[in-house]
Amino acid sequence: MQAAPVRATAIPSFTDALRTVESLLMSSGQRTARRNAWTSVLEDRARAKDRVEAQRFLEQAASGRS
C-alpha cells in the first residue's frame, strides 16, 4: 500500500491572501505609495518613542536621579 502523496505547496496565510487581493485591486504605484506611507507611520512612531525616552532621561538627570 502506498502512502498518500504529500502536498508540495504550502497553504497560504491570511496575510498572503490579503496581499494577493491587494495586488489584484491596486496598481503597483498605489501599492508602493501605501507601503511607503505605512513605513513613514512606523518611523514616526519610533521617533516619538525615542523622544519620550530622551525627555524622561533629561528629567531624571535634572532631578538628580539616575
Side-chain angles (χ1 to χ4, degrees):
M1 185 181 254
Q2 290 183 339
V6 176
R7 186 176 181 167
T9 57
I11 298 172
S13 69
F14 183 71
T15 303
D16 293 336
L18 284 177
R19 286 192 176 138
T20 301
V21 170
E22 174 192 58
S23 69
L24 294 172
L25 296 176
M26 296 179 138
S27 71
S28 62
Q30 288 174 321
R31 276 180 289 168
T32 301
R34 186 188 58 79
R35 287 191 181 124
N36 288 345
W38 183 244
T39 300
S40 293
V41 168
L42 296 178
E43 289 172 354
D44 287 345
R45 288 178 181 176
R47 279 193 296 273
K49 180 182 173 191
D50 292 343
R51 187 171 49 248
V52 168
E53 290 175 0
Q55 182 178 356
R56 286 183 186 152
F57 176 79
L58 292 173
E59 288 172 353
Q60 287 177 353
S63 68
R65 293 183 286 159
S66 23

